Amino acid sequence: MSDTPFGFGLPPEEPEDGDEGKKKESPGQGQGGGQGAGGPGNPFGFGFPGAGGPGGGDNPFAAMFGSMNPNDLGAAFQQLGQMLSYEGGPVNWDMAKDIARQTVAQGTADGTKDASVGPAERSAVEEAVRLADLWLDDATSLPSGSGTAVAWSRAEWVEATLPVWKELVDPVAERVGLAMGDVLPEEMQAMAGPLIGMMRSMGGAMFGQQIGQAVGVLAGEVVGSTDIGLPLGPSGKAALLPVNIETFGKDLGVDKDEVRLYLALREAAHQRLFSHVPWLRSHLFGAVEGYARGIKVDTAKLEDVVGQLDPQNPEQLQEALQQGMFQPEDSPAQKAALARLETALALVEGWVDAVVHAAAKPRLSSADALRETLRRRRASGGPAEQTFATLIGLELRPRRLRDASRLWASLTDARGVDGRDGLWEHPDMLPTASDLDDPDGFVHREQMDFSELDKMLGEAAGGGSSAPKPDLTKDEGDDESPEDGGK
């Protein structure tokens, strides 16, 4: 059995005094002895390790926890209490944050540790974003969206992005929480209220642990706040992570200032898009939620796992989550939702790719190499993205990034920067999945202008206003206009 009951242990912090801070194994520990499971010393039959052994024959709790040092024991009880007393939403986000922070504190697999950002790194990030915004002015008609530029540590990235992860994960986790209660027979549900509540608390804790772990690992990979194509950070705040940028550029053979500047261009381009296309954020998150509504929980697998749940090995349920218990419905609506989401992500990432390349190509000798590196990085995804995909059944990767980038570049050639960026005025003006298959057809197609319609709808929404509407009056042709007066 693991040191923490129920298998929900936080990733351990580094011991201050190394192995000397751990208790040595007590004599007889781990040896069989005394009464077996179900005997008088263990009336519940759970087979606690060492039950009936020295110090544990009449005290199963001593058998469970006697080998733990006081710090581990206190943490175990604290976490158990946190898990069972949780009464919030479908994910225990307090636990998720704690585990994400602990994961960050451990460092990445290559041995890189998190560190506070120093003044020199902060100044370098601010200067890179300032210069990136200057270059982007020539490549896009959308004005700067970076009200501030910040340099984050990995821990600061976790704190800043958790509110957005909550929006992404809660819809799917809610379905799992309901499914955990539904696996009980209907006639038992009325009598098992407390049990259902406990199962949902455990489900919230398990999701909290897994999401916390995924976010913590992802914090060791990301270089900014928009790496996955969604605005994870606060609006108008361009953010870069110096420690991860250093790791990212280490083996590229490119000057680190160029690497930082190229990544600043990408971050600043994302900020322009999300700041000045007001409907885009809700459009993307609505696509994620629409897809999540069509995800079904494999209740047969859940029933099987819960039915065979061993009190000593509740990791079974956790492992089932890791193996994937969610399957998208094979329905036209779900396929359409997935297509909308993948297309939206591809259009965002493709636009950023095209705009950044236009800004960087004349100025950075490594622009082509960095572009290809970032494209491959986004196409393959890291291990944390894979974990996230397993947990909520969704991969946030732009599968058609290259197609979308080519389309935006063609639009620039055919219509200019203003004509290309004008398509972001309304979601119905954007290319569809079929347009990515036939970019030339879309580029030379007449586009509807929704700007006047939006203006009319806005004026109608303000119904009681007495402000004049000169454009609409001219369209209707007033009999008393000067042109008609002489007739």
Coordinates of all heavy atoms in Angstrom, one line a residue, residues 372-455:
E372 N 9.3 26.2 -38.5 CA 9.1 24.8 -38.7 C 9.2 24.1 -37.3 O 8.4 23.1 -37.1 CB 10.2 24.2 -39.6 CG 10.0 22.7 -40.0 CD 8.7 22.5 -40.7 OE1 8.1 23.4 -41.3 OE2 8.1 21.4 -40.5
T373 N 10.1 24.5 -36.5 CA 10.1 23.9 -35.1 C 8.8 24.1 -34.4 O 8.3 23.1 -33.8 CB 11.3 24.5 -34.3 OG1 12.5 24.3 -35.0 CG2 11.4 23.9 -32.9
L374 N 8.3 25.3 -34.4 CA 7.0 25.5 -33.7 C 5.9 24.8 -34.3 O 5.0 24.3 -33.6 CB 6.7 27.0 -33.7 CG 7.2 27.8 -32.5 CD1 6.5 27.4 -31.2 CD2 8.7 27.8 -32.3
R375 N 5.9 24.7 -35.7 CA 4.8 23.9 -36.3 C 4.8 22.4 -35.9 O 3.7 21.9 -35.6 CB 5.0 24.0 -37.9 CG 4.5 25.3 -38.5 CD 4.7 25.2 -40.0 NE 3.9 26.2 -40.7 CZ 3.9 26.3 -42.0 NH1 4.5 25.5 -42.8 NH2 3.2 27.3 -42.6
R376 N 6.0 21.9 -35.9 CA 6.1 20.4 -35.5 C 5.7 20.3 -34.0 O 5.1 19.3 -33.6 CB 7.5 19.9 -35.7 CG 7.8 19.8 -37.2 CD 9.2 19.3 -37.4 NE 9.5 19.2 -38.8 CZ 10.7 18.8 -39.3 NH1 11.7 18.4 -38.5 NH2 10.9 18.7 -40.6
R377 N 6.1 21.2 -33.2 CA 5.8 21.2 -31.8 C 4.3 21.2 -31.5 O 3.8 20.4 -30.7 CB 6.5 22.4 -31.1 CG 6.4 22.3 -29.5 CD 7.3 23.5 -29.1 NE 7.5 23.4 -27.6 CZ 6.9 24.2 -26.7 NH1 6.0 25.0 -27.1 NH2 7.2 24.1 -25.4
R378 N 3.6 22.1 -32.3 CA 2.1 22.1 -32.1 C 1.4 20.9 -32.7 O 0.4 20.5 -32.2 CB 1.6 23.4 -32.8 CG 1.9 24.7 -32.0 CD 1.1 24.7 -30.7 NE -0.3 25.0 -30.9 CZ -1.3 24.2 -30.4 NH1 -1.0 23.1 -29.7 NH2 -2.5 24.5 -30.6
A379 N 2.0 20.4 -33.7 CA 1.4 19.2 -34.4 C 1.5 18.0 -33.5 O 0.5 17.1 -33.5 CB 2.0 19.0 -35.8
S380 N 2.6 17.8 -32.8 CA 2.8 16.6 -32.1 C 2.3 16.7 -30.7 O 1.8 15.7 -30.1 CB 4.3 16.2 -32.1 OG 5.0 17.2 -31.5
G381 N 2.4 17.8 -30.1 CA 2.0 18.0 -28.7 C 2.9 17.3 -27.7 O 3.7 16.4 -28.1
G382 N 2.9 17.8 -26.5 CA 3.8 17.2 -25.5 C 3.1 16.2 -24.6 O 1.9 15.9 -24.8
P383 N 3.8 15.6 -23.7 CA 3.1 14.5 -22.8 C 2.0 15.1 -22.0 O 1.0 14.4 -21.7 CB 4.3 14.1 -21.9 CG 5.3 15.1 -22.0 CD 5.2 15.7 -23.4
A384 N 2.1 16.3 -21.5 CA 1.0 16.9 -20.7 C -0.2 17.1 -21.6 O -1.4 16.9 -21.1 CB 1.4 18.2 -20.1
E385 N -0.1 17.5 -22.8 CA -1.3 17.6 -23.7 C -1.9 16.2 -23.9 O -3.1 16.1 -24.0 CB -0.8 18.2 -25.1 CG -0.5 19.7 -25.0 CD -0.3 20.3 -26.4 OE1 -1.2 20.5 -27.1 OE2 0.9 20.5 -26.7
Q386 N -1.1 15.2 -24.0 CA -1.6 13.8 -24.2 C -2.4 13.4 -22.9 O -3.5 12.8 -23.0 CB -0.5 12.8 -24.4 CG 0.3 13.0 -25.7 CD -0.5 12.7 -26.9 OE1 -1.6 12.1 -26.8 NE2 -0.1 13.2 -28.0
T387 N -1.9 13.8 -21.7 CA -2.7 13.5 -20.5 C -4.0 14.2 -20.5 O -5.0 13.7 -20.2 CB -1.8 13.9 -19.3 OG1 -0.6 13.2 -19.3 CG2 -2.5 13.6 -18.0
F388 N -3.9 15.5 -20.9 CA -5.2 16.3 -20.9 C -6.2 15.7 -21.9 O -7.4 15.6 -21.6 CB -4.8 17.7 -21.4 CG -6.0 18.7 -21.4 CD1 -6.6 19.1 -20.2 CD2 -6.5 19.1 -22.6 CE1 -7.6 20.0 -20.2 CE2 -7.6 20.0 -22.6 CZ -8.1 20.4 -21.4
A389 N -5.7 15.2 -23.1 CA -6.6 14.6 -24.0 C -7.2 13.4 -23.5 O -8.4 13.1 -23.7 CB -5.8 14.3 -25.3
T390 N -6.4 12.6 -22.7 CA -7.0 11.3 -22.2 C -8.1 11.7 -21.1 O -9.1 11.0 -21.1 CB -5.9 10.5 -21.5 OG1 -4.9 10.2 -22.5 CG2 -6.4 9.2 -20.9
L391 N -7.8 12.7 -20.3 CA -8.7 13.0 -19.3 C -10.1 13.6 -19.7 O -11.1 13.2 -19.2 CB -8.1 14.1 -18.3 CG -7.0 13.5 -17.4 CD1 -6.3 14.6 -16.7 CD2 -7.6 12.6 -16.4
I392 N -10.1 14.4 -20.7 CA -11.4 15.0 -21.2 C -11.7 14.6 -22.6 O -12.7 15.1 -23.1 CB -11.4 16.5 -21.1 CG1 -10.5 17.2 -22.2 CG2 -10.9 17.0 -19.7 CD1 -10.7 18.6 -22.3
G393 N -11.0 13.7 -23.2 CA -11.3 13.1 -24.5 C -11.2 14.1 -25.6 O -11.9 14.1 -26.6
L394 N -10.3 15.1 -25.5 CA -10.1 16.1 -26.5 C -8.7 16.5 -26.7 O -8.0 16.7 -25.7 CB -10.9 17.3 -26.0 CG -10.9 18.6 -26.9 CD1 -11.4 18.3 -28.3 CD2 -11.6 19.7 -26.2
E395 N -8.3 16.6 -27.9 CA -6.9 17.1 -28.2 C -7.0 18.5 -28.7 O -7.7 18.8 -29.7 CB -6.3 16.2 -29.3 CG -6.0 14.8 -28.8 CD -5.3 13.9 -29.9 OE1 -5.3 14.4 -31.0 OE2 -4.8 12.8 -29.6
L396 N -6.4 19.4 -28.0 CA -6.4 20.8 -28.4 C -5.2 21.1 -29.4 O -4.4 21.9 -29.1 CB -6.3 21.7 -27.2 CG -7.5 21.6 -26.3 CD1 -7.3 22.4 -25.0 CD2 -8.8 22.2 -27.0
R397 N -5.2 20.4 -30.5 CA -4.2 20.6 -31.5 C -4.8 21.0 -32.8 O -5.8 20.4 -33.3 CB -3.3 19.3 -31.6 CG -2.6 18.9 -30.3 CD -1.3 18.2 -30.6 NE -1.5 17.0 -31.4 CZ -1.7 15.8 -31.0 NH1 -1.8 15.6 -29.7 NH2 -1.8 14.8 -31.8
P398 N -4.2 22.0 -33.5 CA -4.7 22.4 -34.8 C -4.2 21.4 -35.9 O -3.1 21.6 -36.5 CB -4.1 23.8 -35.0 CG -2.8 23.7 -34.2 CD -3.0 22.8 -33.1
R399 N -5.0 20.4 -36.2 CA -4.6 19.4 -37.2 C -4.3 20.0 -38.6 O -3.5 19.4 -39.3 CB -5.7 18.3 -37.3 CG -5.9 17.6 -36.0 CD -7.0 16.5 -36.1 NE -7.3 15.8 -34.9 CZ -6.6 14.8 -34.4 NH1 -5.5 14.4 -35.1 NH2 -6.9 14.3 -33.3
R400 N -5.0 21.1 -38.9 CA -4.8 21.6 -40.2 C -4.1 23.0 -40.2 O -4.5 23.9 -41.0 CB -6.2 21.7 -40.9 CG -7.0 20.4 -40.8 CD -8.2 20.4 -41.8 NE -7.7 20.5 -43.2 CZ -8.6 20.5 -44.2 NH1 -9.9 20.5 -44.0 NH2 -8.1 20.6 -45.4
L401 N -3.1 23.1 -39.4 CA -2.4 24.3 -39.2 C -1.8 24.8 -40.5 O -1.9 25.9 -40.9 CB -1.3 24.2 -38.1 CG -0.2 25.2 -38.1 CD1 -0.8 26.6 -37.8 CD2 0.8 24.8 -37.0
R402 N -1.1 23.9 -41.2 CA -0.4 24.2 -42.5 C -1.4 24.7 -43.5 O -1.2 25.6 -44.3 CB 0.4 23.1 -43.0 CG 1.6 22.7 -42.0 CD 2.3 21.5 -42.5 NE 3.3 21.1 -41.5 CZ 4.6 21.5 -41.4 NH1 5.0 22.3 -42.4 NH2 5.4 21.0 -40.5
D403 N -2.6 24.0 -43.6 CA -3.6 24.4 -44.6 C -4.1 25.8 -44.3 O -4.3 26.6 -45.2 CB -4.8 23.4 -44.6 CG -4.4 22.0 -45.1 OD1 -3.4 21.9 -45.8 OD2 -5.0 21.0 -44.7
A404 N -4.4 26.0 -43.0 CA -4.9 27.3 -42.7 C -3.9 28.4 -42.9 O -4.2 29.5 -43.4 CB -5.3 27.3 -41.2
S405 N -2.6 28.2 -42.6 CA -1.6 29.2 -42.8 C -1.5 29.5 -44.3 O -1.3 30.7 -44.7 CB -0.2 28.6 -42.3 OG 0.8 29.6 -42.5
R406 N -1.5 28.5 -45.2 CA -1.5 28.7 -46.6 C -2.7 29.6 -47.1 O -2.5 30.5 -47.9 CB -1.4 27.4 -47.4 CG -0.1 26.8 -47.4 CD 0.0 25.6 -48.5 NE -0.8 24.5 -48.0 CZ -0.4 23.5 -47.3 NH1 0.9 23.5 -47.0 NH2 -1.1 22.5 -47.0
L407 N -3.8 29.3 -46.5 CA -5.0 30.1 -46.9 C -4.9 31.5 -46.5 O -5.2 32.4 -47.3 CB -6.3 29.4 -46.3 CG -7.6 30.0 -46.7 CD1 -8.7 29.0 -46.8 CD2 -8.1 31.2 -45.8
W408 N -4.4 31.8 -45.3 CA -4.3 33.2 -44.9 C -3.2 33.9 -45.7 O -3.4 35.1 -46.0 CB -3.9 33.2 -43.4 CG -4.9 32.9 -42.4 CD1 -5.0 31.8 -41.5 CD2 -6.2 33.6 -42.2 NE1 -6.1 31.8 -40.8 CE2 -6.9 32.9 -41.2 CE3 -6.8 34.7 -42.8 CZ2 -8.2 33.3 -40.8 CZ3 -8.0 35.1 -42.4 CH2 -8.7 34.4 -41.4
A409 N -2.1 33.2 -46.1 CA -1.1 33.8 -46.9 C -1.7 34.1 -48.3 O -1.4 35.2 -48.9 CB 0.1 32.9 -47.0
S410 N -2.5 33.2 -48.8 CA -3.1 33.5 -50.1 C -4.1 34.7 -50.1 O -4.1 35.5 -51.0 CB -3.9 32.3 -50.6 OG -3.0 31.2 -50.8
L411 N -4.8 34.8 -49.0 CA -5.7 35.9 -48.8 C -4.9 37.2 -48.7 O -5.3 38.3 -49.2 CB -6.5 35.8 -47.5 CG -7.7 34.8 -47.6 CD1 -8.2 34.5 -46.2 CD2 -8.8 35.4 -48.4
T412 N -3.7 37.2 -48.1 CA -2.9 38.4 -48.0 C -2.5 38.8 -49.4 O -2.5 40.0 -49.8 CB -1.6 38.1 -47.2 OG1 -2.0 37.6 -45.9 CG2 -0.8 39.4 -47.0
D413 N -2.1 37.9 -50.3 CA -1.7 38.2 -51.6 C -2.8 38.7 -52.5 O -2.6 39.7 -53.3 CB -1.1 36.9 -52.3 CG 0.2 36.5 -51.7 OD1 0.9 37.3 -51.0 OD2 0.5 35.3 -51.8
A414 N -4.0 38.2 -52.3 CA -5.1 38.5 -53.1 C -5.9 39.8 -52.6 O -6.3 40.6 -53.4 CB -6.1 37.4 -53.1
R415 N -6.0 40.0 -51.3 CA -6.8 41.1 -50.8 C -6.0 42.1 -49.9 O -6.6 43.1 -49.5 CB -7.9 40.5 -49.9 CG -8.8 39.5 -50.7 CD -9.9 39.1 -49.8 NE -10.7 38.0 -50.4 CZ -11.8 37.4 -49.9 NH1 -12.2 37.8 -48.7 NH2 -12.4 36.4 -50.5
G416 N -4.8 41.8 -49.7 CA -4.0 42.7 -48.8 C -4.3 42.4 -47.3 O -5.1 41.6 -47.0
V417 N -3.5 43.0 -46.5 CA -3.6 42.8 -45.0 C -4.9 43.2 -44.5 O -5.5 42.4 -43.7 CB -2.5 43.6 -44.3 CG1 -2.7 43.6 -42.8 CG2 -1.1 43.0 -44.6
D418 N -5.5 44.3 -44.9 CA -6.8 44.8 -44.5 C -7.9 43.8 -44.9 O -8.8 43.5 -44.1 CB -7.1 46.2 -45.0 CG -6.2 47.2 -44.3 OD1 -5.6 46.9 -43.3 OD2 -6.1 48.4 -44.9
G419 N -7.8 43.4 -46.1 CA -8.9 42.4 -46.6 C -8.8 41.1 -45.9 O -9.8 40.5 -45.6
R420 N -7.6 40.6 -45.6 CA -7.5 39.4 -44.9 C -8.0 39.5 -43.4 O -8.8 38.7 -43.0 CB -6.0 39.0 -44.8 CG -5.7 37.7 -44.0 CD -4.2 37.7 -43.6 NE -3.9 38.8 -42.7 CZ -2.6 39.2 -42.5 NH1 -1.6 38.7 -43.1 NH2 -2.4 40.2 -41.6
D421 N -7.5 40.5 -42.7 CA -7.9 40.7 -41.3 C -9.4 41.1 -41.2 O -10.0 40.9 -40.1 CB -7.0 41.7 -40.6 CG -5.6 41.2 -40.5 OD1 -5.3 40.0 -40.7 OD2 -4.7 42.0 -40.2
G422 N -10.0 41.6 -42.2 CA -11.4 42.0 -42.1 C -12.3 40.8 -42.0 O -13.4 41.0 -41.5
L423 N -11.8 39.6 -42.3 CA -12.7 38.4 -42.1 C -13.0 38.1 -40.7 O -13.9 37.4 -40.4 CB -12.0 37.2 -42.8 CG -11.8 37.3 -44.3 CD1 -11.1 36.1 -44.8 CD2 -13.2 37.4 -45.0
W424 N -12.2 38.7 -39.8 CA -12.4 38.4 -38.3 C -13.5 39.3 -37.8 O -13.9 39.2 -36.6 CB -11.1 38.7 -37.5 CG -10.0 37.7 -37.8 CD1 -8.9 37.9 -38.5 CD2 -9.9 36.4 -37.3 NE1 -8.1 36.8 -38.5 CE2 -8.7 35.8 -37.8 CE3 -10.8 35.6 -36.5 CZ2 -8.3 34.5 -37.5 CZ3 -10.4 34.3 -36.2 CH2 -9.2 33.7 -36.7
E425 N -14.2 40.1 -38.6 CA -15.2 40.9 -38.1 C -16.5 40.1 -37.7 O -17.2 40.6 -36.8 CB -15.7 42.0 -39.2 CG -14.6 43.0 -39.5 CD -15.1 44.0 -40.5 OE1 -16.2 43.9 -41.0 OE2 -14.3 44.9 -40.9
H426 N -16.7 39.0 -38.3 CA -17.9 38.2 -38.0 C -17.5 36.7 -38.2 O -16.9 36.3 -39.2 CB -19.0 38.6 -38.9 CG -20.3 38.1 -38.4 ND1 -20.8 36.8 -38.6 CD2 -21.4 38.7 -37.8 CE1 -22.0 36.7 -38.1 NE2 -22.4 37.8 -37.6
P427 N -18.0 35.8 -37.3 CA -17.6 34.4 -37.4 C -18.1 33.8 -38.7 O -17.5 32.8 -39.2 CB -18.3 33.7 -36.2 CG -19.3 34.7 -35.7 CD -18.8 36.1 -36.1
D428 N -19.2 34.3 -39.3 CA -19.7 33.7 -40.5 C -18.9 34.1 -41.7 O -19.1 33.5 -42.8 CB -21.2 34.1 -40.7 CG -22.1 33.5 -39.8 OD1 -21.7 32.5 -39.1 OD2 -23.3 34.0 -39.6
M429 N -18.0 35.0 -41.6 CA -17.1 35.4 -42.7 C -15.9 34.5 -42.8 O -15.2 34.5 -43.8 CB -16.7 36.8 -42.6 CG -17.8 37.8 -42.7 SD -17.3 39.5 -42.3 CE -16.3 39.9 -43.7
L430 N -15.6 33.7 -41.7 CA -14.4 32.9 -41.7 C -14.4 31.7 -42.6 O -15.5 31.2 -42.9 CB -14.1 32.5 -40.3 CG -13.6 33.5 -39.3 CD1 -13.5 32.9 -37.9 CD2 -12.3 34.2 -39.7
P431 N -13.3 31.2 -43.0 CA -13.3 30.0 -43.8 C -13.8 28.8 -43.0 O -13.7 28.8 -41.8 CB -11.8 29.8 -44.2 CG -11.2 31.1 -44.0 CD -12.0 31.8 -42.9
T432 N -14.4 27.8 -43.7 CA -14.8 26.6 -43.1 C -13.8 25.5 -43.4 O -12.8 25.7 -44.0 CB -16.2 26.2 -43.7 OG1 -16.1 25.9 -45.1 CG2 -17.2 27.3 -43.5
A433 N -14.2 24.3 -42.8 CA -13.3 23.1 -43.1 C -13.2 22.8 -44.6 O -12.1 22.5 -45.1 CB -13.8 21.9 -42.3
S434 N -14.3 23.0 -45.3 CA -14.3 22.7 -46.7 C -13.4 23.8 -47.5 O -12.8 23.5 -48.5 CB -15.7 22.6 -47.3 OG -16.4 23.8 -47.1
D435 N -13.4 25.0 -46.9 CA -12.6 26.0 -47.6 C -11.1 25.7 -47.4 O -10.3 26.1 -48.3 CB -12.9 27.4 -46.9 CG -14.3 27.9 -47.3 OD1 -14.8 27.6 -48.4 OD2 -15.0 28.5 -46.4
L436 N -10.7 25.1 -46.4 CA -9.3 24.7 -46.2 C -8.9 23.6 -47.3 O -7.8 23.5 -47.6 CB -9.1 24.1 -44.8 CG -9.3 25.1 -43.6 CD1 -9.0 24.3 -42.3 CD2 -8.3 26.3 -43.8
D437 N -9.9 22.9 -47.8 CA -9.7 21.9 -48.9 C -9.6 22.7 -50.2 O -8.9 22.2 -51.1 CB -10.8 20.9 -49.0 CG -10.9 20.0 -47.7 OD1 -9.9 19.8 -47.1 OD2 -12.0 19.6 -47.4
D438 N -10.2 23.8 -50.3 CA -10.2 24.6 -51.6 C -9.9 26.0 -51.3 O -10.8 26.9 -51.4 CB -11.6 24.4 -52.3 CG -11.6 25.2 -53.6 OD1 -10.6 25.4 -54.2 OD2 -12.7 25.5 -54.1
P439 N -8.7 26.3 -50.9 CA -8.4 27.7 -50.6 C -8.5 28.7 -51.7 O -9.0 29.8 -51.5 CB -6.9 27.6 -50.1 CG -6.4 26.4 -50.7 CD -7.5 25.4 -50.8
D440 N -8.2 28.3 -52.9 CA -8.3 29.3 -54.0 C -9.8 29.6 -54.2 O -10.1 30.8 -54.5 CB -7.8 28.6 -55.3 CG -6.3 28.5 -55.3 OD1 -5.6 29.3 -54.5 OD2 -5.7 27.7 -56.0
G441 N -10.7 28.7 -54.1 CA -12.1 29.0 -54.2 C -12.6 30.0 -53.2 O -13.4 30.9 -53.5
F442 N -12.1 29.9 -52.0 CA -12.5 30.8 -50.9 C -11.9 32.2 -51.2 O -12.5 33.2 -51.0 CB -12.1 30.3 -49.6 CG -12.4 31.2 -48.4 CD1 -13.7 31.2 -47.9 CD2 -11.5 32.1 -48.0 CE1 -14.0 32.1 -46.8 CE2 -11.8 33.0 -46.9 CZ -13.1 32.9 -46.4
V443 N -10.6 32.2 -51.6 CA -9.9 33.5 -51.7 C -10.6 34.4 -52.8 O -10.7 35.6 -52.6 CB -8.4 33.2 -52.1 CG1 -7.8 34.5 -52.6 CG2 -7.6 32.6 -51.0
H444 N -11.1 33.8 -53.8 CA -11.7 34.6 -54.9 C -13.2 34.6 -54.8 O -13.8 35.1 -55.8 CB -11.2 34.0 -56.3 CG -9.7 34.0 -56.4 ND1 -9.0 35.1 -56.6 CD2 -8.8 33.0 -56.5 CE1 -7.7 34.9 -56.7 NE2 -7.6 33.5 -56.6
R445 N -13.7 34.2 -53.7 CA -15.2 34.2 -53.6 C -15.6 35.6 -53.0 O -14.9 36.2 -52.2 CB -15.7 33.1 -52.6 CG -17.2 33.0 -52.5 CD -17.6 32.0 -51.4 NE -16.8 30.8 -51.6 CZ -16.6 30.0 -50.6 NH1 -17.0 30.3 -49.3 NH2 -15.9 28.8 -50.8
E446 N -16.7 36.1 -53.4 CA -17.2 37.4 -52.9 C -17.7 37.1 -51.4 O -18.4 36.2 -51.1 CB -18.4 37.9 -53.7 CG -18.1 38.5 -55.0 CD -17.2 39.8 -54.8 OE1 -17.5 40.5 -53.8 OE2 -16.3 40.0 -55.6
Q447 N -17.3 38.0 -50.5 CA -17.6 37.9 -49.1 C -18.7 38.9 -48.7 O -18.7 40.0 -49.2 CB -16.4 38.1 -48.3 CG -15.2 37.2 -48.5 CD -15.6 35.8 -48.1 OE1 -16.1 35.5 -47.0 NE2 -15.3 34.8 -48.9
M448 N -19.6 38.4 -47.9 CA -20.6 39.3 -47.3 C -20.0 40.2 -46.3 O -19.1 39.9 -45.6 CB -21.7 38.4 -46.6 CG -22.5 37.5 -47.5 SD -23.7 36.6 -46.6 CE -24.8 37.9 -46.1
D449 N -20.5 41.5 -46.3 CA -20.0 42.5 -45.4 C -21.0 42.5 -44.2 O -22.2 43.0 -44.4 CB -19.9 43.8 -46.1 CG -19.4 44.9 -45.1 OD1 -19.1 44.5 -43.9 OD2 -19.2 46.0 -45.5
F450 N -20.7 42.1 -43.1 CA -21.5 42.0 -41.9 C -21.4 43.3 -41.0 O -22.2 43.4 -40.1 CB -21.2 40.8 -41.0 CG -21.7 39.5 -41.6 CD1 -20.9 38.8 -42.6 CD2 -22.9 38.9 -41.3 CE1 -21.3 37.6 -43.1 CE2 -23.3 37.7 -41.8 CZ -22.5 37.1 -42.7
S451 N -20.6 44.2 -41.4 CA -20.3 45.3 -40.5 C -21.6 46.2 -40.3 O -22.0 46.6 -39.3 CB -19.2 46.2 -41.0 OG -19.4 46.6 -42.3
E452 N -22.3 46.5 -41.5 CA -23.5 47.3 -41.4 C -24.6 46.6 -40.7 O -25.4 47.2 -39.9 CB -23.9 47.7 -42.8 CG -25.0 48.8 -42.8 CD -24.4 50.1 -42.3 OE1 -23.2 50.3 -42.4 OE2 -25.2 50.8 -41.7
L453 N -24.7 45.2 -40.9 CA -25.7 44.5 -40.2 C -25.5 44.5 -38.7 O -26.4 44.7 -37.9 CB -25.7 43.0 -40.7 CG -26.7 42.0 -39.9 CD1 -28.1 42.4 -40.1 CD2 -26.5 40.6 -40.5
D454 N -24.3 44.3 -38.3 CA -23.9 44.4 -36.8 C -24.3 45.8 -36.3 O -24.8 45.9 -35.1 CB -22.5 44.1 -36.6 CG -22.2 42.6 -36.7 OD1 -23.1 41.8 -36.6 OD2 -21.0 42.2 -36.8
K455 N -24.0 46.8 -37.1 CA -24.3 48.2 -36.6 C -25.8 48.3 -36.4 O -26.3 48.9 -35.4 CB -23.8 49.2 -37.6 CG -24.0 50.6 -37.2 CD -23.4 51.5 -38.3 CE -23.6 53.0 -37.9 NZ -23.1 53.9 -38.9

